[in-house]
Amino acid sequence: MSAPPTARSSRSAPSTDAGQARRRSRRLRGSPLWPALFLAPTLLILGVFHLWPGVQTLWYSFTEWGAFGGTTFTGIANYARMLKDPEIIRSFLNTAVFTLIVMISIPIGTVLASMIERPGMRFRSLYRTLYFIPFVTMPAAVAIVWKIIFNGDFGVANWLLSLIGISGPYWLSTPPFALIAVSIVGMWSAMGFNLILLSAGVREIPRELYEAAEIDGASPLRQFFSVTVPLMTPSLFFVTIITVIQAFQQFDLIFIMLGTNNIALPETQGLVFIFYAQAFINNDKGYAAAIGILALVVIGLLTMLQFRLQKRWVHYD
């Protein structure tokens, strides 16, 4: 007959169980399965909706599509065709002009953010909301409203010009002005998102720096260029990258404001619009895939260039 457990052994049993539980918990936390488990949903979404379509597009760029489906491998024929296609060069220049005009929203947003975030500014939340509304408004609705504003016969733009004795053009059907009109709308649409990000950057600047500059006799303009702008460079860098990427992907404004039969379209359309036209109007999906890869490479190179140049003008300290 076995002896009953002593009081000492019964007190040590729970502590032994707790120690084993802690060791088991440490082993589980150190297991590589946990990071994989938490990353799996994100990796699955990225793989299915981003990486796999990208791989397919890359493969299609080396093929030619038949009228009734099916593909034929053609090597680099689509890329060689792009080098000789004047429409590609013109659309690339149109995209560059559109991007440069849209980037004007960054300095304007910087000034507005600095003004809105001034101490004692009244109705600050109202101003933020008003500027952010264009960003959350449907692009189709924005394009339709601005299409009416730029109407050559009864648009508000030409009416304002007539007040100072200028006869306005037919903005959306005259080649030099159609790109300017679409770019103005793109700049206006990007203003709200940029302003919110830049306002956050202004709020991160310590107020003591402005007080010290004021004691030293710095004017508000000098404070803006010597305190606000240098300390906002991380925010400006991020906003610049996002603005360039979004500008290069512009499609809906051009499609809705100009349509597909506009005589000004060749002088206005960008790379993404050419991609759409080749894929879904001309049914030349192999060539369209090559244009899509070109747009991806251009955006990637521009982003890399901006990261390389940030060391010269972005201050993180």
Side-chain angles (χ1 to χ4, degrees), residues 95 97-106 108 131 134-135 139 142-143 146-147 150 172 177-195 242-244 246-254 257-258 268:
T95 305
V97 172
F98 178 86
T99 303
L100 290 175
I101 295 178
V102 171
M103 287 181 67
I104 297 175
S105 65
I106 298 176
I108 296 176
Y131 281 111
F135 182 73
V142 171
W146 279 94
K147 188 175 181 179
F150 281 117
L172 300 181
F177 297 103
L179 180 58
I180 296 174
V182 173
S183 301
I184 291 173
V185 181
M187 181 180 66
W188 179 80
S189 301
M191 185 73 71
F193 183 69
N194 293 347
L195 183 67
I242 297 298
T243 303
V244 171
Q246 291 179 342
F248 262 82
Q249 295 176 338
Q250 186 53 246
F251 168 77
D252 42 13
L253 285 179
I254 299 173
M257 291 182 69
L258 270 64
T268 309

Side-chain angles (χ1 to χ4, degrees), residues 16-297:
T16 303
D17 294 341
Q20 292 175 349
R22 283 196 295 270
R23 286 194 292 273
R24 187 164 52 249
S25 177
R26 281 198 294 270
R27 283 199 300 272
L28 289 175
R29 284 200 300 267
S31 173
L33 293 177
W34 284 106
L37 180 63
F38 286 111
L39 287 173
T42 302
L43 294 177
L44 181 63
I45 293 173
L46 286 175
V48 172
F49 295 104
H50 293 271
L51 296 180
W52 178 241
V55 173
Q56 280 188 311
T57 303
L58 180 61
W59 163 247
Y60 291 151
S61 69
F62 297 107
T63 63
E64 180 181 1
W65 284 56
F68 300 100
T71 59
T72 304
F73 183 75
T74 57
I76 61 171
N78 288 325
Y79 292 96
R81 178 183 166 189
M82 275 198 303
L83 296 177
K84 302 175 183 177
D85 191 348
E87 199 174 31
I88 295 295
I89 299 174
R90 190 163 50 195
S91 65
F92 180 79
L93 294 176
N94 293 339
T95 305
V97 172
F98 178 86
T99 303
L100 290 175
I101 295 178
V102 171
M103 287 181 67
I104 297 175
S105 65
I106 298 176
I108 296 176
T110 304
V111 174
L112 291 175
S114 179
M115 295 174 64
I116 291 174
E117 298 301 328
R118 285 187 306 169
M121 185 69 183
R122 301 181 63 185
F123 308 115
R124 181 177 299 154
S125 299
L126 175 63
Y127 292 135
R128 289 176 188 160
T129 304
L130 291 176
Y131 281 111
F132 195 63
I133 284 176
F135 182 73
V136 297
T137 304
M138 291 180 60
V142 171
I144 291 173
V145 170
W146 279 94
K147 188 175 181 179
I148 297 172
I149 292 174
F150 281 117
N151 187 284
D153 293 321
F154 53 82
V156 176
N158 281 355
W159 176 73
L160 292 174
L161 290 176
S162 68
L163 297 179
I164 55 176
I166 297 177
S167 178
Y170 284 90
W171 291 90
L172 300 181
S173 58
T174 307
F177 297 103
L179 180 58
I180 296 174
V182 173
S183 301
I184 291 173
V185 181
M187 181 180 66
W188 179 80
S189 301
M191 185 73 71
F193 183 69
N194 293 347
L195 183 67
I196 293 300
L197 294 177
L198 295 171
S199 295
V202 173
R203 287 196 297 273
E204 293 298 321
I205 300 175
R207 304 310 306 176
E208 294 80 5
L209 296 178
Y210 290 102
E211 294 171 0
E214 192 172 354
I215 292 173
D216 291 340
S219 64
L221 185 62
R222 180 65 183 274
Q223 294 177 27
F224 175 76
F225 285 107
S226 299
V227 178
T228 304
V229 173
L231 294 180
M232 282 182 63
T233 49
S235 300
L236 290 171
F237 172 61
F238 178 74
V239 168
T240 302
I241 289 179
I242 297 298
T243 303
V244 171
I245 292 175
Q246 291 179 342
F248 262 82
Q249 295 176 338
Q250 186 53 246
F251 168 77
D252 42 13
L253 285 179
I254 299 173
F255 181 77
I256 297 173
M257 291 182 69
L258 270 64
T260 57
N261 298 317
N262 195 309
I263 58 174
L265 187 60
E267 303 292 339
T268 309
Q269 61 189 354
L271 282 175
V272 177
F273 195 95
I274 293 286
F275 165 81
Y276 162 80
Q278 293 294 338
F280 301 105
I281 297 178
N282 300 333
N283 198 29
D284 194 352
K285 292 184 173 58
Y287 190 49
I291 296 172
I293 294 297
L294 172 66
L296 175 65
V297 171

